[in-house]
Amino acid sequence: MRPQVVLFGDSITEQSFRSGGWGAALADTYTRKADIVNRGYSGYNTRWALFLLHQLFPFDSTKPPVAATIFFGANDAALLGRTSERQHVPIEEYKENLRKVVHHLKECSPTMLVVLITPPPVDEVGRRDYARSVYGEKAMELPERTNEVTGLYAKQCVELAKEMGLCSIDLWSKMQETEGWQKKFLSDGLHLTPEGNAVVHEEVVRVFNESWLAAAEMPYDFPSHSEIDGKNPEKAFQQQCI
Amino acid sequence: MRPQVVLFGDSITEQSFRSGGWGAALADTYTRKADIVNRGYSGYNTRWALFLLHQLFPFDSTKPPVAATIFFGANDAALLGRTSERQHVPIEEYKENLRKVVHHLKECSPTMLVVLITPPPVDEVGRRDYARSVYGEKAMELPERTNEVTGLYAKQCVELAKEMGLCSIDLWSKMQETEGWQKKFLSDGLHLTPEGNAVVHEEVVRVFNESWLAAAEMPYDFPSHSEIDGKNPEKAFQQQCI
């Protein structure tokens, strides 16, 4: 049946089927051609993601995904000594964890199209405003994530992709090319607005198109209704090209 | 791994992952709990749907879907002698085809929660305006579908559900309870606006909740990040309740 594309990541992946979400948009782009499977885990860093690998991507699967996006780093880059330090993963370990994820996926299926996505940029002002709106006076004044540090993680992600010969999407850099990215693309300084989701969708489609997973070139799993002869429908279904 | 819920239907299902779509909203409602699988086939009627059954729902599947929505009728109810007559299926056959689909699904898995959804109402004015916008002067003056005839199909769908002891959603009636349903819920007299999609999403969630598929009562497939001890993450993953 239809090939599967797995979106593996943190909350930015988990929330990707909300209204305007990049996961839902991808499902629509690949409608009747591929299934987009959401494996986003809110709050997870790459260290915790490793625990999921064998169950999400078993080696003995008879039909492993044809493609996967790996989209971690926003939590790994949380700073030590701040509110979210529990999620922090040292930058060298982040890179090595990503490498382990890629190795695992390639062991599942050497032909799997693996795309690494960097964390998006962080808007520290938006993040502070959000913390105040939730925690009020108790909100810490010092940011739990900074754009600069997240940028270092993004750089490691892109470097790893180069080392391993994979495609990557440098979302951290891409989003900052647009003026006003802080409010245009981020809803709380970290998660994505519908416009931010549209950037991810566009970039993933671009990379898939440049690889061998262009929706336009993939067959429908069953005939288009316009190909079905109303008086002799069997014919269209005998000729189907699954 | 996660249970699957299949959405089987025509274009109103196929388009359900567009922005504001009911399928994407359902995927979000069941995030980290169930996979929502889109098996919508634009333009299909129940007669053509039968050709897909064995491939979409093989009897020997080791993990059949736990639930399915069956959402056909909008094309079956196209009128003879009009633009879309190729898609027309007589009303008795429509009911029998739906029965065959249900029998097939129940043979796949006797415990599968099968929900029948009637076609939405038809706004004949909206449909005519749409035809004129696409075909201009060549658009036929007589409607290819009428609300009255579609209502007869909807009635058969609800009756079949009663006969078979299944849940159903009488979308045709439900939508017409709201004043201005013609433009509020329908974009071209037949397909759904985001508000119309929201009605379907709400109704499906209501029926699933009233059955045994309430998202609130389903476990996450892996621990919430808040349950993971940063210093001893193994513990949370040993206790996971898949």
Side-chain angles (χ1 to χ4, degrees):
Chain A
M1 299 303 302
R2 290 187 209 180
Q4 279 196 342
V5 176
V6 175
L7 315 181
F8 187 36
D10 54 31
S11 55
I12 302 170
T13 297
E14 180 177 316
Q15 296 171 6
S16 70
F17 280 71
R18 291 190 182 171
S19 188
W22 67 277
L26 206 59
D28 192 54
T29 301
Y30 284 84
T31 187
R32 290 183 61 179
K33 297 183 172 181
D35 285 328
I36 310 298
V37 180
N38 187 346
R39 290 294 178 267
Y41 294 87
S42 179
Y44 273 54
N45 54 33
T46 53
R47 190 185 287 166
W48 303 340
L50 295 181
F51 287 100
L52 314 184
L53 283 180
H54 281 274
Q55 281 176 275
L56 293 188
F57 306 97
F59 285 143
D60 60 354
S61 168
T62 51
K63 209 171 160 278
V66 295
T69 57
I70 305 177
F71 191 174
F72 285 99
N75 297 314
D76 300 63
L79 301 176
L80 281 173
R82 307 284 169 82
T83 322
S84 302
E85 72 168 345
R86 206 173 54 87
Q87 293 163 295
H88 169 79
V89 170
I91 193 161
E92 302 76 19
E93 184 188 336
Y94 165 70
K95 189 177 178 186
E96 287 317 301
N97 289 342
L98 280 184
R99 192 191 304 273
K100 284 177 191 168
V101 174
V102 175
H103 275 310
H104 184 98
L105 295 186
K106 288 290 189 181
E107 198 160 337
C108 273
S109 167
T111 59
M112 195 187 303
L113 174 61
V114 177
V115 177
L116 298 187
I117 308 179
T118 77
V122 174
D123 170 30
E124 291 156 39
V125 175
R127 211 62 204 134
R128 191 196 58 205
D129 293 348
Y130 169 75
R132 281 184 187 159
S133 75
V134 176
Y135 304 108
E137 290 298 311
K138 285 182 283 181
M140 282 176 78
E141 279 304 306
L142 291 169
E144 96 279 36
R145 290 166 172 87
T146 65
N147 193 40
E148 190 188 348
V149 168
T150 297
L152 299 176
Y153 282 70
K155 204 174 162 199
Q156 290 303 310
C157 175
V158 173
E159 272 192 23
L160 179 73
K162 276 191 196 138
E163 282 172 35
M164 302 188 80
L166 301 173
C167 299
S168 66
I169 294 168
D170 185 354
L171 200 60
W172 188 84
S173 300
K174 175 79 192 170
M175 284 190 160
Q176 292 182 78
E177 289 170 7
T178 298
E179 205 176 338
W181 59 269
Q182 294 91 337
K183 299 287 172 281
K184 191 177 173 67
F185 295 146
L186 304 171
S187 61
D188 59 2
L190 181 67
H191 296 93
L192 307 178
T193 59
E195 288 82 0
N197 272 284
V199 174
V200 180
H201 172 242
E202 233 168 71
E203 288 295 302
V204 173
V205 169
R206 180 182 60 75
V207 169
F208 281 3
N209 281 345
E210 289 171 2
S211 306
W212 45 265
L213 201 66
E217 290 163 22
M218 294 169 73
Y220 270 177
D221 60 350
F222 287 105
S224 160
H225 78 92
S226 59
E227 294 163 17
I228 303 173
D229 176 355
K231 298 203 177 75
N232 185 12
E234 294 82 359
K235 204 176 157 199
F237 292 96
Q238 283 156 3
Q239 291 171 341
Q240 70 181 263
C241 50
I242 297 188
Chain B
M1 300 304 303
R2 291 188 207 178
Q4 279 196 341
V5 176
V6 175
L7 315 182
F8 187 37
D10 53 32
S11 56
I12 302 169
T13 298
E14 181 177 317
Q15 296 171 6
S16 69
F17 280 71
R18 291 190 181 171
S19 189
W22 67 277
L26 206 59
D28 192 54
T29 300
Y30 284 84
T31 186
R32 292 185 59 179
K33 298 182 171 182
D35 286 327
I36 309 299
V37 181
N38 187 345
R39 290 293 178 269
Y41 294 86
S42 180
Y44 274 55
N45 54 33
T46 54
R47 189 186 287 166
W48 302 340
L50 295 181
F51 288 100
L52 315 185
L53 282 181
H54 281 275
Q55 280 175 276
L56 294 187
F57 306 97
F59 286 143
D60 60 354
S61 168
T62 52
K63 209 170 163 278
V66 295
T69 56
I70 306 176
F71 191 174
F72 285 100
N75 297 314
D76 299 64
L79 301 175
L80 282 172
R82 307 283 169 84
T83 323
S84 303
E85 73 168 345
R86 205 172 54 86
Q87 293 163 295
H88 169 80
V89 170
I91 192 162
E92 303 76 17
E93 183 189 335
Y94 165 69
K95 189 178 178 185
E96 288 316 303
N97 288 343
L98 280 184
R99 194 192 301 275
K100 285 177 190 168
V101 174
V102 176
H103 275 309
H104 183 98
L105 296 186
K106 289 289 188 182
E107 198 160 337
C108 272
S109 167
T111 59
M112 197 187 302
L113 174 61
V114 177
V115 178
L116 299 186
I117 308 178
T118 76
V122 173
D123 170 31
E124 292 157 38
V125 176
R127 211 64 203 132
R128 190 195 59 206
D129 293 347
Y130 169 76
R132 281 184 187 159
S133 75
V134 176
Y135 305 106
E137 289 298 310
K138 285 183 282 181
M140 282 177 77
E141 279 304 305
L142 291 169
E144 96 280 36
R145 290 164 173 87
T146 65
N147 193 39
E148 191 188 346
V149 168
T150 297
L152 299 175
Y153 282 69
K155 205 174 160 198
Q156 290 303 309
C157 175
V158 172
E159 272 192 23
L160 178 73
K162 276 191 196 138
E163 283 171 35
M164 301 188 83
L166 300 173
C167 299
S168 67
I169 295 169
D170 185 353
L171 200 61
W172 188 84
S173 299
K174 175 79 193 172
M175 284 188 160
Q176 291 181 81
E177 289 169 9
T178 298
E179 204 175 337
W181 58 270
Q182 294 90 338
K183 299 287 173 282
K184 190 177 174 66
F185 295 145
L186 304 172
S187 61
D188 59 2
L190 180 67
H191 297 93
L192 306 179
T193 59
E195 288 82 359
N197 273 284
V199 174
V200 180
H201 172 241
E202 235 167 69
E203 288 294 302
V204 173
V205 168
R206 180 183 60 75
V207 169
F208 281 3
N209 281 345
E210 288 170 3
S211 307
W212 46 266
L213 201 66
E217 291 163 22
M218 294 169 74
Y220 269 178
D221 61 349
F222 287 105
S224 160
H225 78 91
S226 59
E227 294 163 18
I228 303 173
D229 177 354
K231 298 202 177 75
N232 185 12
E234 295 83 357
K235 206 177 155 196
F237 292 97
Q238 281 157 4
Q239 291 171 341
Q240 69 181 264
C241 49
I242 296 187

